Amino acid sequence: MLKRFLLRSLVLAGILLACFAHLVWNGWHAKKIVAENLPHPSLSTGKRDIDLSVPTYEPGRLYDLTFERGEETGGTLPADARLKVQLTSNGRTRLLVVRSGHPNTDVSWWALLTGREKLQIVADREWIDLGPAPQPGETFEVQVSGLLPGPYGFAQIFTHDRPHFSLIRAVRPESPRARITRTTLRYAFQRAEPVPARETLARFFFFISCSRVLQVTGLVAIVLLFAGWWWLWEKRYSRAVAALVPAITLIHACCLAPFQGADESFHVGTVEAVVWNPEMFANLYSYPSSLGLLYDVIGYDKWVRYPEISVSIDSPERRARVRDVAAHRLEAEARKGGPGLPEAYLLN
């Protein structure tokens, strides 16, 4: 029985190691936006990405895109920067082929297999990689073709802001008179910015290392995970489900940054007030100062809602500031209501 337990435990440990290997792989392939014409709005603005752009008009399946950069337009960009535009497809994922120039031929499967043309699987409101960013004085031409039936378009912003280009043109070759946009496309320049494995793991385990609650919860979750895994092999399915469901739920909770559960900033602030100062409910729009300090130090206002933006613990100095706040009990601050914070108030 001990031999079986060790063998099954090794299998589960191998799965967990594979998960961490995937995490490290993602770190090695991390990317960063270095310039754009519509930055993500912070939470305090009261706006979302979807409020600042609309789909282009008269969607189609084939587009010829032209980007012209003047000699003095937008300054220089990193040599490895790549140009991307945002897809809008009414909630649908599209298979897109990106081709250099404005060819008049059909998509070639041979060209796709040899890599001369790029096939991309892009979800709605995600980014299409058009290729290396043009430098000042260059004109960049690219064709985007939908591989399967179903029209799509691009995100257009409400202004003509295109500080990096003197001209952006979008044309549908099969319908030249179609009016694609009256303003301009939303674009971004992105470059690879690999994160070493040690730094990736330091960020992943950082909040767990700051909290005894998370450490104990994580330990309980691991014990439940191994127990549920054993019962699953033993075909004791009721026990397995009773252990595995809370195990995975708790592991997921431990891996989240603060305030990342559904409406968690509301709920955690409400619990804090119930425990320390119920009189705070006289002003539902205040927030416990204890949690307000954590809210500010992790830069919640800037990265919440955007999974591609790193939480503000991406350097030892920033982690030290967060750890300093997390190391204090903050009992006096928990009894005081702080200023109103975006998406952070008490529930009646």
Side-chain angles (χ1 to χ4, degrees):
M1 182 174 178
L2 179 60
K3 185 177 180 180
R4 282 189 299 161
F5 177 76
L6 291 175
L7 180 60
R8 295 171 187 177
S9 297
L10 285 175
V11 173
L12 180 56
I15 295 173
L16 294 176
L17 285 175
C19 293
F20 283 112
H22 184 256
L23 180 69
V24 171
W25 173 268
N26 286 339
W28 284 339
H29 294 81
K31 297 178 173 64
K32 180 180 180 180
I33 291 178
V34 293
E36 55 192 326
N37 66 338
L38 181 62
H40 291 303
S42 61
L43 192 64
S44 56
T45 64
K47 299 183 180 298
R48 303 167 297 166
D49 275 7
I50 197 171
D51 301 322
L52 303 178
S53 65
V54 294
T56 48
Y57 312 119
E58 300 187 51
R61 291 183 52 224
L62 182 66
Y63 293 89
D64 285 341
L65 304 179
T66 303
F67 299 84
E68 294 183 4
R69 295 198 69 189
E71 292 289 349
E72 304 296 331
T73 306
T76 59
L77 292 165
D80 59 347
R82 300 185 68 85
L83 174 62
K84 298 193 172 188
V85 294
Q86 190 177 32
L87 173 74
T88 57
S89 54
N90 196 28
R92 307 293 180 87
T93 296
R94 298 298 184 209
L95 297 180
L96 304 176
V97 179
V98 177
R99 314 167 74 191
S100 179
H102 295 159
N104 295 319
T105 58
D106 293 332
V107 172
S108 166
W109 286 100
W110 177 250
L112 289 176
L113 292 174
T114 56
R116 289 190 291 111
E117 296 176 357
K118 303 295 184 182
L119 175 64
Q120 299 181 31
I121 303 173
V122 186
D124 182 35
R125 308 200 70 80
E126 293 298 324
W127 295 87
I128 307 168
D129 187 343
L130 300 182
Q135 295 301 317
E138 294 181 351
T139 297
F140 179 70
E141 294 184 341
V142 65
Q143 186 177 86
V144 182
S145 176
L147 195 60
L148 298 176
Y152 62 91
F154 309 102
Q156 64 171 329
I157 63 178
F158 293 130
T159 70
H160 289 85
D161 292 345
R162 41 177 168 78
H164 305 88
F165 297 103
S166 56
L167 175 69
I168 297 178
R169 182 186 299 115
V171 178
R172 285 175 48 196
E174 82 286 5
S175 184
R177 294 188 177 184
R179 186 69 177 269
I180 308 300
T181 177
R182 291 188 177 87
T183 53
T184 194
L185 304 184
R186 184 183 187 187
Y187 65 82
F189 296 101
Q190 191 177 68
R191 66 175 301 186
E193 194 168 277
V195 179
R198 183 175 180 179
E199 175 67 13
T200 298
L201 295 176
R203 297 180 191 179
F204 181 81
F205 287 106
F206 172 70
F207 289 113
I208 296 175
S209 72
C210 291
S211 170
R212 289 287 177 85
V213 172
L214 291 182
Q215 292 164 16
V216 172
T217 302
L219 181 61
V220 170
I222 292 296
V223 171
L224 288 173
L225 182 65
F226 276 86
W229 181 257
W230 168 262
W231 285 323
L232 190 63
W233 281 84
E234 293 293 307
K235 297 184 179 180
R236 298 181 179 181
Y237 299 123
S238 297
R239 292 186 181 183
V241 170
L244 289 174
V245 170
I248 299 301
T249 303
L250 292 175
I251 288 173
H252 174 67
C254 289
C255 294
L256 290 175
F259 307 119
Q260 283 301 283
D263 298 332
E264 187 181 351
S265 56
F266 307 148
H267 293 296
V268 72
T270 302
V271 171
E272 188 95 339
V274 167
V275 172
W276 292 96
N277 184 9
E279 294 181 2
M280 222 181 298
F281 287 96
N283 180 9
L284 295 178
Y285 291 98
S286 69
Y287 200 62
S289 291
S290 50
L291 296 174
L293 289 171
L294 180 62
Y295 182 108
D296 288 333
V297 77
I298 64 174
Y300 182 79
D301 184 43
K302 297 179 180 178
W303 51 260
V304 67
R305 300 190 302 206
Y306 308 118
E308 68 274 21
I309 297 180
S310 300
V311 181
S312 303
I313 55 168
D314 52 357
S315 71
E317 295 76 19
R318 290 179 177 177
R319 289 197 288 272
R321 289 198 294 269
V322 178
R323 190 181 295 278
D324 181 61
V325 171
H328 293 81
R329 288 181 60 86
L330 303 175
E331 296 174 64
E333 290 81 357
R335 293 187 175 93
K336 296 188 300 184
L341 296 169
E343 296 296 326
Y345 47 84
L346 305 183
L347 297 173
N348 189 341

